[in-house]
Amino acid sequence: MNRRGFLATTGIALFSGCTFDNSGRSTPTTDTPTDGPTETPTESPDPSEEPSVSAEDLRERRVVDFENVPLTVAVFGARTINDRVRTTYGISEPATDDSPAVVHALVRNHNGFEQTFHLRRIPGFWDSPSTHRETEDGERGGTAYLAPTENHDLVESVPGVAQDDAGYWRLASSGREWLPETVTLAPDEAILGEYYLVGSDDTSNEPLGVGEYRFRYQGEGFTISVWDTESPGPAEDSAHAGTEVPELPHGESTAWYHEADASTAVYLQPSTERVEAPACIEFELRNRSYERLSGNPYDWTLFKLVDGEWFRIDPWGIPQPLSNVQPGETNRSELSLFHGDAMACDEGRSAGYLGGGRYAYRVGHSRDEETQAALFDLDAPAVSPQPDDDVTIERDGADLVVTMPEWNDDEHPPQAEIVFERAEGTDADRRLIPEQLFRQPMRGYRNTLPLFTEGVERITLRADRHVVGHTTGYDSLETTVEYDGETFHVTGEDPLRE
């Protein structure tokens, strides 16, 4: 395709300050404006010419501090069409008193054939690209426009821009026909869109403000995130402000939401901090820093605080993909809490058999080896784990024999026994709490420890090798645990060990 030449327009002076002519220079706004845009074609560039900005450049141009107003702006997201036509976005220059902020969008056809498509399918390339601001409380705010500059490869009409009395940049012309409807890209050809990020020309419409501006087509696209440069953190104090809790036992330092203040750039904010079961809490991991957060989107942990110690409740296994939370991006998750059986959630996370108390929810994205977590208090009755319904129990004096369905079952690994004995006065290797015994890997403990009633001194659990591994570990086959104020010595056997 022939890349279009630059087209000029004279800005209409609606505000105090300056507009820009086709050279990009500021001009006084006292001259009589023209009635509309004036097209001045110039020589078309070589079709094979590469855009001056690459996708790699834009991926590094994610966040800037404005110089004219106290705002920080970040751009994140991408758009892919038919798996091979990709658009990358970035913010290249901050707003100053001389120019609005500059946003770039690069579209490249990675197909081995020429392709024509409607520009409305590419966020930022439809005619007069604009969107409303979305605030943290879900309200809609003012409108932001991406006004193409004369350096836009497809521009047909360049809108004027000007500063208002408060120093914010806005449109300065009412015309909205800036870009064509379609574009044809040769194999591996790219086009570059350059825009000014500005507010509406309607002065009753608020200027660029704190929140998110989402440019989407069928759910895919990019977001412009805006926050107060000096106060990126939460606007209100946590209900647990001033609370001191121990570090979470996960190997990284913990950044707590209740310790965040207005200057905190990264924090995990819960929708509520005190709930009664059943309940659902929404968590928002906000990254208002200049660096991306790396981690596993499926990595999360629910802990319970008992006697000054954290106990892991859920989950006991996670997949291992890697993802990032870009500057300005908010990663959202939901946690449903139940006193009884957990209801399956298609998109959210859930945990069942939870007794009342203080909990912590942690997510797996971190920065500088610091992970994010938030406290919440749950109002619910205590839980009391009991053996599974499908086990059989035989008693001989002070001894019990508990048989699980895995015992002597050809569909499971080799059968194996675990012996539990009271061990009064012995230091425990680990302490268990009732909520933990409901989890699948804890079946060996769930089917024995609640049975240590008065007069029971020894329990033999007949299961299989997997149950042994989850209970004592395959290596040592021996451990000591504390549960409900008592200590128990646990010994397993491995039928595969000589």
Side-chain angles (χ1 to χ4, degrees):
M1 60 166 283
N2 289 327
R3 297 172 63 190
R4 292 183 177 267
F6 299 154
L7 304 172
T9 186
T10 302
I12 300 177
L14 298 182
F15 314 101
S16 64
C18 59
T19 59
F20 284 82
D21 64 13
N22 63 314
S23 66
R25 297 186 299 269
S26 61
T27 60
T29 61
T30 55
D31 296 339
T32 302
T34 61
D35 292 332
T38 302
E39 299 189 0
T40 307
T42 61
E43 183 179 352
S44 297
D46 184 343
S48 64
E49 180 184 344
E50 275 293 302
S52 58
V53 178
S54 69
E56 290 73 19
D57 292 334
L58 295 185
R59 280 190 281 269
E60 297 300 322
R61 301 179 184 183
R62 294 299 191 186
V63 57
V64 297
D65 292 333
F66 281 13
E67 298 178 12
N68 59 323
V69 291
L71 295 178
T72 299
V73 178
V75 174
F76 59 88
R79 169 79 170 122
T80 302
I81 302 175
N82 300 332
D83 295 328
R84 300 296 293 168
V85 178
R86 298 170 186 165
T87 308
T88 310
Y89 303 88
I91 184 163
S92 302
E93 297 291 342
T96 68
D97 284 330
D98 296 323
S99 170
V102 176
V103 173
H104 280 106
L106 182 71
V107 185
R108 184 177 293 277
N109 178 18
H110 293 275
N111 287 301
F113 51 87
E114 184 180 88
Q115 188 165 5
T116 300
F117 48 87
H118 288 275
L119 285 175
R120 62 181 173 81
R121 301 179 63 189
I122 305 179
F125 280 86
W126 56 61
D127 211 11
S128 64
S130 64
T131 190
H132 290 283
R133 176 169 62 97
E134 298 180 23
T135 62
E136 290 184 11
D137 55 11
E139 298 294 325
R140 295 181 70 183
T143 304
Y145 283 87
L146 293 176
T149 76
E150 63 176 8
N151 295 324
H152 194 297
D153 286 349
L154 301 179
V155 69
E156 292 184 338
S157 172
V158 179
V161 296
Q163 278 185 296
D164 63 16
D165 292 337
Y168 291 86
W169 287 95
R170 294 177 178 266
L171 285 177
S173 58
S174 57
R176 295 291 188 270
E177 297 180 358
W178 303 334
L179 299 171
E181 293 185 358
T182 63
V183 69
T184 300
L185 293 178
D188 202 37
E189 185 175 8
I191 55 174
L192 181 67
E194 181 180 276
Y195 303 88
Y196 287 138
L197 174 62
V198 295
S200 172
D201 52 346
D202 180 359
T203 54
S204 65
N205 191 310
E206 61 184 340
L208 198 71
V210 173
E212 292 186 344
Y213 298 86
R214 297 187 177 97
F215 293 80
R216 294 283 189 271
Y217 181 82
Q218 295 183 344
E220 190 177 359
F222 70 103
T223 299
I224 296 176
S225 181
V226 184
W227 63 89
D228 187 313
T229 303
E230 298 179 354
S231 302
E236 300 178 356
D237 289 339
S238 163
H240 298 293
T243 301
E244 294 186 6
V245 292
E247 287 283 313
L248 294 176
H250 59 87
E252 293 180 307
S253 61
T254 307
W256 294 101
Y257 170 69
H258 69 274
E259 296 177 349
D261 58 25
S263 65
T264 304
V266 180
Y267 55 94
L268 179 68
Q269 184 169 8
S271 58
T272 181
E273 295 175 275
R274 291 191 175 100
V275 294
E276 180 179 356
C280 178
I281 302 179
E282 299 176 353
F283 295 87
E284 294 185 337
L285 175 61
R286 298 187 181 278
N287 181 12
R288 290 173 173 171
S289 72
Y290 300 89
E291 304 171 7
R292 66 186 184 183
L293 310 179
S294 298
N296 182 349
Y298 300 104
D299 181 7
W300 64 279
T301 318
L302 177 65
F303 295 92
K304 185 175 184 180
L305 184 64
V306 178
D307 298 332
E309 181 180 357
W310 289 111
F311 293 86
R312 184 187 185 114
I313 305 301
D314 267 325
W316 289 83
I318 57 173
Q320 293 294 324
L322 179 66
S323 71
N324 299 306
V325 180
Q326 299 293 340
E329 189 173 3
T330 298
N331 183 270
R332 296 173 173 85
S333 57
E334 293 182 354
L335 179 62
S336 296
L337 310 163
F338 301 90
H339 177 254
D341 285 330
M343 296 180 62
C345 298
D346 292 337
E347 298 181 1
R349 296 154 178 174
S350 61
Y353 299 105
L354 302 177
R358 176 156 294 173
Y359 290 82
Y361 175 76
R362 166 198 163 270
V363 294
H365 286 94
S366 62
R367 181 183 65 159
D368 298 330
E369 297 185 351
E370 183 178 65
T371 193
Q372 303 293 318
L375 297 176
F376 66 89
D377 291 331
L378 178 67
D379 183 9
V383 293
S384 180
Q386 297 298 322
D388 297 336
D389 293 337
D390 56 1
V391 303
T392 60
I393 303 173
E394 302 174 54
R395 181 163 185 169
D396 183 9
D399 294 349
L400 295 182
V401 176
V402 179
T403 305
M404 295 175 60
E406 287 86 345
W407 178 259
N408 207 24
D409 186 342
D410 293 338
E411 296 180 2
H412 291 82
Q415 63 189 36
E417 292 185 347
I418 313 173
V419 176
F420 295 75
E421 298 178 286
R422 293 185 186 271
E424 185 177 349
T426 303
D427 292 334
D429 298 323
R430 64 185 298 193
R431 181 185 175 192
L432 303 174
I433 63 173
E435 283 83 358
Q436 291 178 309
L437 266 60
F438 287 97
R439 315 306 145 184
Q440 180 68 13
M442 307 295 284
R443 294 175 65 215
Y445 293 111
R446 182 170 67 247
N447 287 310
T448 53
L449 296 182
L451 296 175
F452 273 99
T453 56
E454 184 176 356
V456 176
E457 297 292 331
R458 186 175 188 270
I459 298 178
T460 300
L461 179 67
R462 301 197 295 185
D464 66 13
R465 186 173 182 267
H466 278 180
V467 177
V468 173
H470 285 305
T471 305
T472 64
Y474 292 114
D475 295 332
S476 64
L477 296 176
E478 185 176 6
T479 189
T480 305
V481 299
E482 178 185 340
Y483 178 73
D484 196 23
E486 297 189 78
T487 305
F488 304 90
H489 184 252
V490 187
T491 306
E493 66 172 348
D494 186 353
L496 301 185
R497 181 181 296 184
E498 294 182 359

